[in-house]
Amino acid sequence: MSARILMSGVWAALVLFLVLCKCIMLEAELLQVGFYENSCSMAEFIVKQEVAKAFSKDRGVAAGLIRMHFHDCFVRGCDGSVLIDSTPSNTAEKDSPANKPSLRGFEVIDSAKAKLESVCQGVVSCADIVAFAARDSVEITGGISYGVPAGRRDGRISLDSETRSLPPPSFNVDQLTQNFKNMGLTQEEMVTLSGAHTIGRSHCGSFTNRLYNFNSTTSQDPSLDPAYAAQLKQQCPQGSTDASLVVPMNPASPAITDVGYYTDILANRGLFTSDQTLLTNPSTAVQVTQNALSPFLWKSKFANAMVKMGQIGVLTGTDGEIRANCRVINS
């Protein structure tokens, strides 16, 4: 009798799993490339214009927009919740320690949204604008462009407490693999998407433990190239409280989407623990080497991984809303 009950429980769990998988697949299928072709044909062009305008003034904004898309998707799914401002009664995602002060590019999204509302009121979601802006940022920095399946709707909840799902720069390879697996992404896609660190900058506080306080017996991380460590110490003095101190993630080409990130890791010049840790696992180490040697292959994989990441937990159909202002939920 107990065995029969156990088997029925197993079958019930299997059926539930298949139903959930089917729901996820159907949800993703509701997104489509060219979603706004009939309802707002200029949507993607308008976003691209705003990204290009911002990039001409600050080349670093591209990295910020790519990172914003990642941070949006890894918390509650790709629903634009990272854009919502805090209120007196709620601290939103953007103001959590995981996002502030490192996230940037919000003004680009605001500008694009304002333009879109003037020509297609209530049509284009903030979540889709973020996805388009990330793609345009990849393209404008030398990466491969890709079609963005659109049709996302905006979420109405943003909680700083939920940013714990974002991987910190201290994660090791096993923690990173599990974190991405939780989001439906493979280990290879984790290594591929980590390559986004080839552009942009980091605040000193994200890695200075590797320079001055690595562990109880060693002050400096032994896996860090000594010459690079000396350079970083000049840029980030010990004990400095200046929160504005930043360094480029990939010093050789900080505004170009290339494989410099992977060649840096092979030279023990990965800035974060979560970067250099990719050499500590045989599988991820092989992927790092392959990506470093095959720029076009990595760019292609990166484009595909961005499309897949952009479908995490999306709201479609009648779920969520189309925010009039990306910073505030509709009243």
Side-chain angles (χ1 to χ4, degrees):
M1 183 66 176
S2 60
R4 187 178 300 171
I5 293 174
L6 178 61
M7 285 303 296
S8 65
V10 170
W11 278 109
L14 179 60
V15 170
L16 178 61
F17 174 75
L18 293 174
V19 168
L20 289 173
C21 286
K22 183 65 174 177
C23 287
I24 292 171
M25 291 173 64
L26 288 173
E27 192 174 58
E29 288 170 1
L30 290 174
L31 299 182
Q32 57 182 314
V33 175
F35 181 83
Y36 296 106
E37 188 173 338
N38 297 320
S39 59
C40 189
S41 60
M42 295 289 286
E44 295 190 44
F45 177 74
I46 288 172
V47 176
K48 181 170 295 214
Q49 272 191 321
E50 293 307 308
V51 171
K53 188 188 303 182
F55 185 74
S56 68
K57 299 175 183 176
D58 175 10
R59 292 165 66 84
V61 76
L65 292 168
I66 295 171
R67 188 163 183 262
M68 182 188 294
H69 187 35
F70 171 76
H71 279 229
D72 184 34
C73 292
F74 267 54
V75 182
R76 301 191 73 85
C78 312
D79 66 346
S81 57
V82 74
L83 304 171
I84 297 174
D85 283 344
S86 296
T87 65
S89 60
N90 177 65
T91 304
E93 293 171 30
K94 63 165 57 171
D95 289 321
S96 77
N99 285 328
K100 189 177 182 179
S102 58
L103 277 194
R104 56 179 172 152
F106 293 107
E107 71 287 348
V108 182
I109 306 301
D110 290 339
S111 181
K113 180 62 174 174
K115 292 276 177 60
L116 288 166
E117 285 296 297
S118 69
V119 295
C120 310
Q121 186 175 5
V123 174
V124 183
S125 70
C126 299
D128 277 343
I129 294 173
V130 172
F132 292 147
R135 182 270 313 277
D136 298 335
S137 296
V138 171
E139 181 181 11
I140 205 169
T141 54
I144 294 177
S145 186
Y146 53 90
V148 175
R152 299 166 188 79
R153 286 171 64 85
D154 299 321
R156 296 174 55 85
I157 299 172
S158 183
L159 305 170
D160 69 325
S161 59
E162 295 187 342
T163 58
R164 287 190 293 267
S165 58
L166 292 168
S170 59
F171 263 12
N172 62 37
V173 70
D174 292 333
Q175 292 170 314
L176 287 170
T177 300
Q178 184 60 53
N179 179 264
F180 277 67
K181 183 180 179 181
N182 292 343
M183 299 295 164
L185 298 168
T186 67
Q187 185 183 71
E188 182 174 6
E189 287 163 341
M190 177 271 288
V191 177
T192 299
L193 288 169
S194 294
H197 284 176
T198 196
I199 60 174
R201 65 190 188 185
S202 168
H203 287 77
C204 291
S206 295
F207 60 84
T208 47
N209 67 298
R210 301 185 69 200
L211 302 177
Y212 304 112
N213 188 32
F214 184 62
N215 58 36
S216 59
T217 59
T218 307
S219 60
Q220 184 173 301
D221 186 345
S223 70
L224 190 61
D225 172 62
Y228 185 43
Q231 176 186 328
L232 291 173
K233 286 179 178 179
Q234 287 187 329
Q235 296 170 296
C236 301
Q238 186 172 14
S240 173
T241 57
D242 186 353
S244 67
L245 288 178
V246 294
V247 301
M249 296 290 297
N250 169 217
S253 52
I256 301 174
T257 293
D258 58 17
V259 295
Y261 169 78
Y262 299 104
T263 56
D264 278 348
I265 290 175
L266 291 173
N268 293 320
R269 294 168 66 90
L271 188 60
F272 297 157
T273 296
S274 59
D275 298 322
Q276 200 59 48
T277 191
L278 298 182
L279 280 191
T280 65
N281 174 286
S283 296
T284 58
V286 167
Q287 292 164 34
V288 167
T289 302
Q290 289 176 339
N291 290 338
L293 295 175
S294 307
F296 183 78
L297 175 63
W298 170 71
K299 289 182 180 183
S300 299
K301 291 195 302 180
F302 186 76
N304 291 332
M306 287 289 283
V307 170
K308 184 175 176 180
M309 184 192 77
Q311 299 186 22
I312 296 172
V314 293
L315 300 174
T316 58
T318 57
D319 293 334
E321 63 183 17
I322 304 296
R323 268 182 246 138
N325 178 339
C326 292
R327 293 175 178 266
V328 184
I329 63 172
N330 295 341
S331 56

